[in-house]
Amino acid sequence: RPMYVMVRAEDPNDPDGKTVNALYTHHYLDPDSPHTLELFGNTPFAPGMDRDIYWHEFGHYLNESVSAESGIDFAGDSGAQFTEGAALHECLADYLAESVGNKGYIGRWIARNFPNIRPGDPLRSAEAKADDYNDFRLVSTFDASGKNFNRYRMAEWCSRVLWDICAQFVKEDESTGAI
């Protein structure tokens, strides 16, 4: 099936284009539809201008493709609010983008759109920092609303684990490089 990439896609709920997001849809439940990668946001730091975001969304495509079109996160695709599959999906997509870019973070460009992220910090980091994302017990608990786990916190923890494993391989044999 074809894949359509829509840069600066229009969000029907945001005619001004201020919502910044990226979304990959595999459509494995609707095999007659194409794969789509939509990059939303008409801002100076639009996701369509951030190579990390393309690689991250391509990571979602890869996740779904290697799962024999059955989906890693079938429960989430069927309406569940949070599943470990969703966190794993995000983790592997982040790790692909970080590995291809050979840097321990993604989204430094797009992060400028979000006031809760300090200037210069990336959207997500696989490099250990002084925060709660290094401790599984802290990322695997409920979020502030008390309703849902936060798949992005869990995914960042997971990508840090993978990044650390890769760093250990490189320490043992520099010819290994990014995995």
Side-chain angles (χ1 to χ4, degrees):
R1 291 185 288 160
M3 174 191 267
Y4 295 108
V5 178
M6 292 163 272
V7 179
R8 296 193 184 205
E10 292 186 17
D11 182 346
N13 299 318
D14 179 26
D16 295 330
K18 300 299 181 203
T19 299
V20 175
N21 200 359
L23 177 66
Y24 171 75
T25 307
H26 197 73
H27 292 291
Y28 64 88
L29 297 175
D30 182 9
D32 293 331
S33 294
H35 307 293
T36 59
L37 193 160
E38 299 173 83
L39 305 168
F40 299 98
N42 192 11
T43 68
F45 305 106
M49 299 165 64
D50 191 337
R51 179 180 16 202
D52 295 347
I53 303 307
Y54 287 97
W55 280 116
H56 171 86
E57 296 304 324
F58 180 79
H60 288 300
Y61 166 75
L62 186 65
N63 287 338
E64 292 301 324
S65 296
V66 299
S67 70
E69 306 273 329
S70 61
I72 289 176
D73 188 27
F74 186 76
D77 292 335
S78 299
Q81 288 295 316
F82 175 84
T83 66
E84 287 81 0
L88 183 59
H89 223 291
E90 291 298 329
C91 168
L92 295 174
D94 283 356
Y95 184 70
L96 176 92
E98 292 154 354
S99 294
V100 168
N102 200 26
K103 56 189 180 189
Y105 62 87
I106 64 165
R108 187 167 277 159
W109 175 265
I110 193 177
R112 299 175 194 187
N113 290 294
F114 305 105
N116 61 325
I117 298 176
R118 289 186 335 204
D121 280 356
L123 185 64
R124 289 201 283 280
S125 177
E127 297 168 336
K129 295 168 36 178
D131 59 24
D132 293 347
Y133 296 177
N134 297 317
D135 187 332
F136 179 77
R137 293 169 299 170
L138 297 175
V139 300
S140 64
T141 57
F142 289 104
D143 66 13
S145 72
K147 295 179 183 175
N148 300 312
F149 288 107
N150 184 316
R151 69 178 175 198
Y152 299 106
R153 287 173 53 91
M154 176 103 42
E156 193 161 339
W157 167 83
C158 175
S159 69
R160 288 180 184 189
V161 169
L162 295 175
W163 193 257
D164 186 54
I165 291 169
C166 180
Q168 296 305 317
F169 285 146
V170 171
K171 271 185 189 177
E172 291 175 16
D173 179 3
E174 287 191 24
S175 66
T176 304
I179 296 175

